[in-house]
Amino acid sequence: MIYKYIAPSPVLQEFIRDYLIAHFIFDKEQDIPFKPYSPKPEQTITFLPKGNLTINNPLTGETRVAPVISISGQQVSRYNFYLTSEYQMLRVHFHPGALYRMLRIPLTEFTDCWFDAGSVISREILEVNERLANCQYYADMITVIEDYLLTKIKKVTTNTHPLDSVASCIFKNPSRFSLDWLAKQSCLCPRQFNRKFTERMGVGPKLYSRVVRFYKAYQYKETHPQDDWLTIALLFGYADYQHMVKDFRQFAQVTPNLWINQDNQSPERILQLE
């Protein structure tokens, strides 16, 4: 199996943050654990060369099969992912504002969903997925996807905007900057700042900041299991533990400890232990 983040080549680093390759093979008789998936500060295109993905919203009970290639804007809800016995995925994570520049479509169209990329991008993207399925090595998959992205990015005419740098600042440290200060850095009034930020990121700056802070808090706990939750809450700018719990209940639908326990049962973690 593989579950690995890979840096893009230098020529693509203006647009691409990294790639995530996952390839799991379970015994057909094996009970495959679901993958709990909470909001992360990301905008993505996901390819599924092998297998498929069933997405369940535990709050509404709605279930659907993900497209073979999907575009996702900013996620704001928790989902559970159910995989087939063989599952291969390549996900492209874009820098803030980069997916908007490439598609020239407001990212609000893709907020909290897995949108069929074939209906938005030219059908050649389906051929890319077929080539990915035929790759013998994972490195070949990166070559295929980068060749495709280079052709798309060469056609980009939308320039970067100060808002993209603002979103990157929030991603690095969501608690450090006030929204008024960030609006000034983008040379926009607060109303324009909120509107343009939402257009490029899919959600407003306040909600995006909350998603980033929630994400970084639980990521920190995973790498520092010895630290207590109150220490982590204060480290990431929460007023107290209960303030952080409020975000966990909204974004993960469970308490912090329950979320970590559920995430520890994800397919990639179970396979790594075997």
Side-chain angles (χ1 to χ4, degrees):
M1 67 154 274
I2 186 173
Y3 188 85
K4 184 177 181 181
Y5 290 90
I6 298 171
S9 60
V11 70
L12 286 167
Q13 287 178 2
E14 178 186 345
F15 285 81
I16 311 302
R17 188 176 81 204
D18 55 38
Y19 310 104
L20 172 60
I21 289 184
H23 190 189
F24 306 142
I25 302 177
F26 291 89
D27 293 335
K28 292 189 177 179
E29 311 300 324
Q30 189 173 353
D31 185 18
I32 304 173
F34 70 86
K35 166 72 176 177
Y37 200 80
S38 66
K40 297 174 174 59
E42 60 188 22
Q43 300 82 42
T44 65
I45 297 179
T46 301
F47 296 81
L48 298 178
K50 296 178 182 177
N52 60 53
L53 175 68
T54 300
I55 302 170
N56 168 259
N57 184 326
L59 188 62
T60 66
E62 180 185 2
T63 299
R64 61 168 297 196
V65 176
V68 172
I69 310 166
S70 57
I71 299 172
S72 298
Q74 179 55 58
Q75 181 186 346
V76 295
S77 303
R78 183 249 174 91
Y79 292 89
N80 292 332
F81 290 172
Y82 295 86
L83 319 180
T84 48
S85 57
E86 181 173 11
Y87 175 78
Q88 188 179 69
M89 177 199 78
L90 195 160
R91 177 175 295 141
V92 183
H93 296 115
F94 290 85
H95 284 302
L99 185 57
Y100 170 81
R101 292 174 60 200
M102 193 175 90
L103 298 177
R104 289 177 290 181
I105 299 173
L107 275 237
T108 47
E109 298 293 326
F110 310 110
T111 298
D112 215 28
C113 71
W114 284 262
F115 202 94
D116 186 358
S119 64
V120 177
I121 306 175
S122 59
R123 303 296 291 181
E124 65 180 343
I125 198 170
L126 297 176
E127 298 174 6
V128 174
N129 199 62
E130 292 177 7
R131 292 202 294 273
L132 290 173
N134 291 323
C135 287
Q136 184 175 0
Y137 302 104
Y138 300 126
D140 295 337
M141 295 177 68
I142 298 299
T143 299
V144 168
I145 200 65
E146 291 211 319
D147 286 347
Y148 170 72
L149 289 171
L150 276 170
T151 64
K152 299 299 292 184
I153 287 171
K154 284 178 180 177
K155 300 176 183 178
V156 170
T157 57
T158 306
N159 294 325
T160 57
H161 189 281
L163 278 170
D164 301 336
S165 297
V166 165
S168 294
C169 286
I170 296 174
F171 180 82
K172 292 175 184 175
N173 194 331
S175 306
R176 181 178 177 184
F177 310 102
S178 72
L179 295 183
D180 286 343
W181 184 86
L182 291 171
K184 290 179 181 178
Q185 300 309 302
S186 62
C187 304
L188 298 170
C189 71
R191 180 177 295 181
Q192 288 178 315
F193 171 65
N194 188 76
R195 179 176 61 82
K196 296 290 289 183
F197 189 100
T198 302
E199 179 182 54
R200 299 179 81 88
M201 301 301 297
V203 296
K206 185 174 181 180
L207 180 54
Y208 182 74
S209 296
R210 289 182 60 207
V211 169
V212 174
R213 182 166 61 175
F214 157 77
Y215 169 74
K216 287 186 175 289
Y218 83 74
Q219 288 283 299
Y220 185 89
K221 178 65 173 177
E222 289 179 347
T223 56
H224 300 78
Q226 72 282 0
D227 287 7
D228 62 84
W229 280 113
L230 176 58
T231 298
I232 294 172
L234 298 177
L235 179 64
F236 287 95
Y238 289 102
D240 52 32
Y241 172 71
Q242 290 302 326
H243 184 200
M244 181 181 66
V245 169
K246 182 180 178 181
D247 273 2
F248 270 80
R249 289 196 180 279
Q250 176 175 343
F251 297 132
Q253 298 177 16
V254 290
T255 61
N257 278 331
L258 279 175
W259 171 253
I260 292 297
N261 290 339
Q262 289 182 354
D263 192 51
N264 283 339
Q265 297 302 310
S266 295
E268 71 273 16
R269 302 189 190 281
I270 296 298
L271 286 173
Q272 284 172 351
L273 293 174
E274 294 179 351

